[in-house]
Amino acid sequence: MKQFRSHQRDAFDYLFPNLRQLGGQGYLAAPGLGKTGVALRLVSAMACIEGVRRVLVVSPEKVLRHWQREATEWGCALPVELLKSTPAARNRQLAENRAGIYGLSLDSVHRTELLDHDWDMFVVDESSKYKNWTARRTKGARRIAAKTPYALLLTGSPAPNCPSEFFAQQFLLDKGRTLGATVGAFRDRFMRRGGFENREWLFNYESLPHLNQLLSPWYLRQDKSVLPPEDGRNVHYIELEVELPPSIKKYYREIEKDLFTEFQGQHHYVFSGSQKYNRCRQITSGRFYDENRCVVELHDQKIKRLLDLVEESPEPVLCAYQYSHEIEAIRRIARRKVPTIDGQTSAEETQRLIDEFQLGVHPLLCGQADALSHGTDGLQHGSSMLVWLTLTDTPDTHDQMNCRLDRTGQTKPVTIFYLMAPGTLDRPILRKLQRKATEQEAMIDHFKANYPHSLAS
């Protein structure tokens, strides 16, 4: 049976009494610190002390399998059982009224039949996916939380894009006692009107100290500084420039120039249904989808650089990609089968590929960043090298993906390569991710540098 590490013991000692007293706690810890183990021990303690019998865990599907494995390793007092995929099958399963931890995919949390059954505790894994107050999954989670005595939130991405994104998550913990029971009440206290024609709600940062004071009893934050010195690992971030062919550069500049405009003395970047922005990102990757969803081939510069890195590496390489056409091109140029994990890969197949990656069966494992960045533990035992072929522009996905290798169990310094096409949106997107700047700030910096004549006109 696994034993707590020092930071996990500290987390448990903080969360357990507060969970009993307040009825809810949020554990915001960097990926790899062992959140699931702490959560399982909390559930076990609540079962023994508070008589908790039935626990509903809502998380991405791939993470649920992780809960099953971890429950055995941590000696959890309650068994973990995955809920069936259809409402009728779930009802039959729950009607047996067995004590246990029931795992449910976040895509099913809105199902009304879940409200027909009593829950003693509600655990929301990857709670950062519940930032949107009006989203269907958030509405479903709110209904369950409203009738459940205890709630626990877990996430490896504690830093939101905006403090207001904590409102929906906080409601799951306290049913609105701290920040208000409605989004209107929250906006009146912490936000203001602004933006185009005063139509947007903007967070009032003058109220941030007050908001932090209200939230502090409900959350424990841990980053990797809690690890002892012997567990410290160096992470090297390397930007590799990949020059585009001159004709592709020219085409790219023509497309990109239309993204920039100046209006009433203010600098803006503009999208046409986001198509031009995505087109620019895809051009740097080497190909793009036209209006008929057909792939237009442009160049192979980044993929060739990726394969050079694989050839030079003494260990397997993990690659993060963004677009489906990229993996098709990798397989064509490499002239071999390249294993891939994407949104359609089952949890069983994902685990099989991770196991093989650990054994060194595959010199290259590719993963679509959105699919691979959550609920995939074990990759750190197979490699210490990650290559970003095309960057995501979502900070949460970026941070989680990097932590697939930089996490507990990694024994080597981690190297993260970014393949960057100079003079394109690659670098401002990376800067946005690194400093968590707004998209507007990052893009305007880029256009100031690349289109000075436009700014002067």
Side-chain angles (χ1 to χ4, degrees):
M1 186 171 68
K2 283 186 176 181
Q3 299 297 317
F4 270 159
R5 309 179 78 185
S6 60
H7 70 275
Q8 291 175 303
R9 169 58 59 188
D10 292 341
F12 179 88
D13 290 344
Y14 177 88
L15 294 169
F16 181 54
N18 287 334
L19 181 60
R20 295 178 65 193
Q21 178 183 356
L22 297 176
Q25 281 289 282
Y27 183 28
L28 314 180
L33 292 185
K35 295 183 296 299
T36 307
V38 174
L40 286 164
R41 288 287 174 85
L42 286 170
V43 170
S44 293
M46 293 296 289
C48 296
I49 305 298
E50 297 292 341
V52 166
R53 290 184 67 253
R54 286 158 65 88
V55 180
L56 180 63
V57 175
V58 177
S59 78
E61 185 175 354
K62 291 176 181 177
V63 181
L64 292 176
R65 303 286 179 181
H66 185 58
W67 274 79
Q68 277 192 310
R69 293 192 302 273
E70 292 273 302
T72 302
E73 295 174 355
W74 287 98
C76 185
L78 297 175
V80 176
E81 185 176 342
L82 301 188
L83 287 173
K84 305 296 184 183
S85 57
T86 64
R90 278 196 296 268
N91 273 328
R92 289 193 298 270
Q93 187 179 5
L94 293 172
E96 297 177 5
N97 199 32
R98 294 190 302 270
I101 300 172
Y102 292 86
L104 179 72
S105 168
L106 60 84
D107 295 324
S108 301
V109 70
H110 65 284
R111 303 298 303 191
T112 55
E113 72 271 4
L114 295 170
L115 299 175
D116 297 332
H117 304 275
D118 293 327
W119 303 103
D120 300 314
M121 188 170 174
F122 185 32
V123 180
V124 180
D125 201 353
E126 303 297 349
S127 65
S128 58
K129 295 185 179 296
Y130 296 80
K131 297 173 182 177
N132 187 341
W133 174 257
T134 60
R136 186 173 67 171
R137 68 175 61 149
T138 305
K139 290 180 180 178
R142 280 159 42 195
R143 289 194 291 266
I144 295 171
K147 55 179 295 188
T148 306
Y150 299 102
L152 176 66
L153 305 188
L154 307 170
T155 181
S157 308
N161 292 322
C162 175
S164 61
E165 292 177 353
F166 264 118
F167 172 66
Q169 298 175 75
Q170 181 62 28
F171 186 92
L172 301 180
L173 291 181
D174 67 359
K175 291 88 172 170
R177 297 200 307 269
T178 304
L179 301 182
T182 65
V183 69
F186 175 80
R187 287 169 175 168
D188 289 341
R189 293 175 67 186
F190 298 102
M191 304 185 78
R192 59 179 176 78
R193 285 285 192 177
F196 180 67
E197 293 186 351
N198 232 30
R199 294 180 181 179
E200 299 178 43
W201 283 101
L202 306 176
F203 185 77
N204 180 9
Y205 280 88
E206 293 180 358
S207 64
L208 184 58
H210 180 48
L211 177 63
N212 287 335
Q213 183 181 14
L214 292 173
L215 292 177
S216 60
W218 296 89
Y219 296 92
L220 173 65
R221 293 173 172 84
Q222 287 185 332
D223 58 26
K224 291 187 177 177
S225 65
V226 301
L227 293 173
E230 60 268 22
D231 285 348
R233 296 176 303 278
N234 295 324
V235 183
H236 305 288
Y237 300 94
I238 300 176
E239 299 175 24
L240 292 179
E241 292 194 350
V242 179
E243 286 289 344
L244 302 183
S247 59
I248 304 302
K249 280 185 182 178
K250 180 181 178 182
Y251 174 60
Y252 176 90
R253 297 280 281 185
E254 290 172 354
I255 298 292
E256 186 188 65
K257 208 166 187 179
D258 291 339
L259 294 174
F260 177 79
T261 189
E262 185 174 0
F263 180 67
Q264 294 183 349
Q266 297 293 318
H267 307 312
H268 303 269
Y269 70 100
V270 293
F271 300 160
S272 174
S274 297
Q275 292 178 358
K276 292 179 180 178
Y277 171 71
N278 284 320
R279 174 68 59 85
C280 285
R281 296 183 65 207
Q282 291 181 55
I283 290 172
T284 67
S285 75
R287 48 210 38 83
F288 65 87
Y289 295 110
D290 65 13
E291 290 73 14
N292 299 314
R293 295 296 295 172
C294 294
V295 177
V296 178
E297 302 279 347
L298 295 176
H299 66 87
D300 300 322
Q301 305 304 101
K302 283 192 175 182
I303 293 176
K304 289 178 178 177
R305 191 69 184 93
L306 165 67
L307 296 177
D308 287 342
L309 290 171
V310 174
E311 188 75 22
E312 297 163 2
S313 175
E315 61 178 348
V317 174
L318 183 65
C319 171
Y321 71 94
Q322 192 73 13
Y323 303 104
S324 298
H325 58 62
E326 291 176 296
I327 190 62
E328 295 167 2
I330 290 173
R331 289 170 175 161
R332 174 177 56 79
I333 297 170
R335 296 183 179 177
R336 64 171 180 263
K337 183 178 180 181
V338 177
T340 306
I341 297 174
D342 58 25
Q344 305 303 314
T345 309
S346 67
E348 293 82 359
E349 176 69 4
T350 296
Q351 190 57 50
R352 183 185 69 80
L353 290 174
I354 291 175
D355 292 342
E356 292 176 351
F357 188 67
Q358 292 176 353
L359 297 172
V361 174
H362 307 296
L364 173 63
L365 175 63
C366 294
Q368 201 160 26
D370 288 338
L372 195 61
S373 59
H374 293 80
T376 50
D377 194 14
L379 292 163
Q380 73 273 23
H381 300 301
S383 177
S384 62
M385 181 172 167
L386 168 65
V387 179
W388 279 95
L389 188 63
T390 299
L391 266 174
T392 175
D393 57 2
T394 305
D396 176 36
T397 300
H398 173 258
D399 294 346
Q400 290 272 5
M401 187 70 209
N402 285 352
C403 287
R404 294 308 95 194
L405 300 184
D406 177 29
R407 60 197 296 118
T408 302
Q410 178 61 262
T411 59
K412 302 176 183 177
V414 173
T415 304
I416 298 174
F417 290 96
Y418 298 99
L419 302 187
M420 316 293 291
T424 70
L425 289 175
D426 282 352
R427 187 155 276 112
I429 289 174
L430 178 58
R431 296 294 175 262
K432 169 204 164 187
L433 296 171
Q434 289 173 332
R435 70 176 191 255
K436 300 219 185 316
T438 66
E439 192 170 273
Q440 182 80 11
E441 289 171 348
M443 301 305 169
I444 290 301
D445 287 348
H446 171 69
F447 284 117
K448 283 180 179 178
N450 285 278
Y451 300 99
H453 299 299
S454 297
L455 294 173
S457 59

